[in-house]
Amino acid sequence: MASETLSRIGLAGLAVMGQNLALNIAEKGFPISVYNRTTSKVDETVERAKKEGNLPLRGFHDPKSFVLSIQKPRVIIMLVKAGAPVDQTIKTLSVHLEKGDCIIDGGNEWYENTERREKAMNDLGLLYLGMGVSGGEEGARHGPSLMPGGSFEAYKNIEDILLKVAAQVPDSGPCVTYIGKGGSGNFVKMVHNGIEYGDMQLIAEAYDVLKTVGKLSNEELHQVFAEWNKGELLSFLIEITADIFSIKDDKGQGHLVDKVLDKTGMKGTGKWTVQQAAELSVAAPTIASSLDSRFLSGLKDERVNAAKIFRDGGLADVLCDQVVDKKQLIDDVRQALYASKICSYAQGMNLIRAKSIEKGWDLKLGELARIWKGGCIIRAIFLDRIKKAYDRNPDLASLLIDPEFAKEIVDRQSAWRRVVSLAINSGISTPGMCASLAYFDSYRRESLPANLVQAQRDYFGAHTYERIDVEGSFHTEWFKLAKLKI
Ligand code: NBP
């Protein structure tokens, strides 16, 4: 095949993400070849490319002609279901690849799988990248946030494409950067998703307090969230939340949101984030509480049964039906949401940093905040502040102690405590806001009751303890001393 007819890049896996990313790449002027195991999706994509502006996209039904249609060194982005399908697709494609060619996995893959594959590919003289892609269908089509990690040489081969295809944010550039070595791209995308879980949970709690305690209607909720989206909370998730409250049910009376079953689904990246936090001994209680809330939401039948048992036992749904000043409540909830969000991001960032240290990835936290400013689900004006905090001090121990964030938290803490107290007294669970507040209150205190826990450990297990006044490791015969006193 003459080089002028070769495509610049290939993409394998044409479900929602692959199809849209391929069209995005073609639209940016990079001729692309596409392939999918089920060939009808290839034809569908070719048809879309024609309809959406005669884009330079060619479809292939067999892997060999697909691979041979790409210019060398070949780069193929793979967007198939994570796990075994990735291994199968690599096997299908790699037999036709040559030394120096590269495969990029754009899926939500477990970072260790990427590291295993990178090593195996390396043994064959092939390059490998694991690239987090965020922004769903819309992002993939019009500009996602891209988190490529792995072979730097491979990244350089397609940097020009990624810079054009990624979301573009005025004043801060394309939402892509080389993340780091190994599985760092997948790891960062995983924590991004964990942070997304936290954001969604905190927003849901704000909704619950406003609706259940403040008795706001969907129209009022729409107004409140639309207003919040003009200030410090401006973000994609707040924007879509405002939209959701405005949608009427097309199958009956009222609003659609009230007809949606209260059971949250999940695909695993939030769970991995919490597992990693535990592995690395990093506290991530807001993200963990969002995961627990999804687990509890799944117990719909049990909750219906429990509600009946407690209602019959005399417990009202809303324990404290107090009259609240709506305006004050709305303002308090806004502040509680913002302060809780700072704590959640502090946890996510610290988790990334801990992994970076463990693996020697040398990740730049400010850069991550920058590439999340556009294209992805957690995009928000707030990320600009995070970037600035790490620009001021790249070694910041926690976002909580950045002078600007510290001031913002202090300014909002009374409102935050009012909301959490009101929710607790009303019997409305706000696990994310409570977890964030407890995280803040633990982190900011010089002394914690851990002295007692350590004494207990030494009492029953001779685990020893340190003293505040003398260096060294100590053990006390607590039991004997206690008995002597008696
Ligand atoms: P899916 O995750 O639903 O995967 C469908 C694709 O995988 C199809 O192309 C399918 O081919 C292919 N596939 C499967 Br399933 N088994 C295969 C096998 N054994 N060999 C070859 N191909 C196989 O697609 P998606 O929702 O577009 O997501 C792609 C990746 O991007 C996933 O890792 C996902 O987690 C991640 N992601 C998704 C989103 C989102 O909003 N959907 C956002 C961000 C990241 P077939 O057509 O022949 O069955």
Side-chain angles (χ1 to χ4, degrees), residues 12-19 36-39 41 78-82 84-86 88-89 92 105-109 133-137 189 193 267:
L14 297 169
V16 182
M17 294 300 282
Q19 225 175 80
N36 191 71
R37 180 184 60 171
T38 306
T39 55
K41 288 201 182 107
M78 194 175 38
L79 269 156
V80 299
K81 208 178 177 66
V86 172
Q88 279 151 19
T89 307
T92 306
D105 178 12
N108 280 336
E109 187 53 277
V133 180
S134 177
E137 185 176 359
K189 172 65 188 345
N193 285 20
K267 283 193 169 167

Side-chain angles (χ1 to χ4, degrees), residues 53-69:
N54 264 331
L55 305 174
L57 179 147
R58 290 185 296 160
F60 293 86
H61 284 189
D62 75 288
K64 185 174 180 189
S65 49
F66 163 66
V67 170
L68 297 182
S69 73

